[in-house]
């Protein structure tokens, strides 16, 4: 497969185009794993579109590559620095009224993806998600 990438406006109107691009690259993946990717993809894109840019819309680059057994999905934006993986996981066993806001989307991404990595270099936030094909 090599590597494929495409740039999108970082707004919610791009979500369906991003989804189509990503799934056009994941032809040899099980249905269950595709469902996991769909959940993680939507959470990631919604977070970037909603919070990355102080003056929206910015730009979102989506890159997909593989090593034969795994796919690597990378999401890059030039928004405000934000490491979504640095926040504490919410206590999902605590009563609703005692839970803080947010964090469930990141928890979901961590649970359905095999790996998640964040880096920021030269003003670019990069979230790399790794998912096994089967």
């Amino acid at each position: 497969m090599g590597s494929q990438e495409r740039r999108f406006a970082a707004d919610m109107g791009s979500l369906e185009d991003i989804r189509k691009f990503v799934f056009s690259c994941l032809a040899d993946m099980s249905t269950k794993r595709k469902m996991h990717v769909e959940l993680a993809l939507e959470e990631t894109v919604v977070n970037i579109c909603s919070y990355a840019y102080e003056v929206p819309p910015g730009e979102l680059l989506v890159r997909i590559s593989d090593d034969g057994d795994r796919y690597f999905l990378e999401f890059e934006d030039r928004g405000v620095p934000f490491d979504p993986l640095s926040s504490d996981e919410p206590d999902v066993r605590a009563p609703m009224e005692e839970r803080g806001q947010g964090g469930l989307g990141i928890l979901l991404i961590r649970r359905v993806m095999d790996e998640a990595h964040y880096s920021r270099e030269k003003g670019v936030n990069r979230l790399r998600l790794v998912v096994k094909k089967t």
Side-chain angles (χ1 to χ4, degrees):
M1 176 184 138
S3 178
Q4 297 185 39
E5 65 181 45
R6 188 178 290 173
R7 293 182 186 281
F8 300 90
D11 68 47
M12 293 305 296
S14 299
L15 181 57
E16 185 58 27
D17 289 338
I18 294 169
R19 189 184 156 293
K20 286 178 182 174
F21 168 68
V22 168
F23 284 98
S24 73
C25 300
L26 304 181
D28 57 345
M29 178 176 264
S30 72
T31 301
K32 181 179 178 182
R33 297 309 303 202
K34 284 183 178 178
M35 290 171 46
H36 292 163
V37 169
E38 179 135 18
L39 290 169
L41 171 71
E42 184 168 329
E43 286 297 327
T44 301
V45 171
V46 167
N47 281 336
I48 291 170
C49 293
S50 300
Y51 306 112
Y53 292 97
E54 294 175 350
V55 180
E59 188 174 76
L60 167 61
L61 177 116
V62 180
R63 180 180 303 114
I64 302 169
S65 60
D66 80 325
D67 70 356
D69 296 325
R70 303 174 297 172
Y71 281 110
F72 306 95
L73 290 82
E74 293 183 347
F75 301 87
E76 293 183 0
D77 67 77
R78 293 186 171 275
V80 295
F82 178 66
D83 178 359
L85 305 175
S86 68
S87 58
D88 293 333
E89 289 190 9
D91 182 0
V92 294
R93 289 177 275 160
M96 289 293 287
E97 58 274 4
E98 294 178 15
R99 293 185 201 172
Q101 287 188 326
L104 291 176
I106 300 302
L107 177 65
L108 175 69
I109 290 170
R110 285 180 165 152
R111 297 255 169 108
V112 298
M113 294 287 99
D114 295 302
E115 296 174 36
H117 307 275
Y118 168 83
S119 65
R120 182 163 173 94
E121 297 174 33
K122 299 180 181 176
V124 176
N125 292 305
R126 179 175 301 116
L127 182 64
R128 186 175 209 224
L129 305 178
V130 181
V131 59
K132 295 176 186 168
K133 293 182 178 180
T134 58

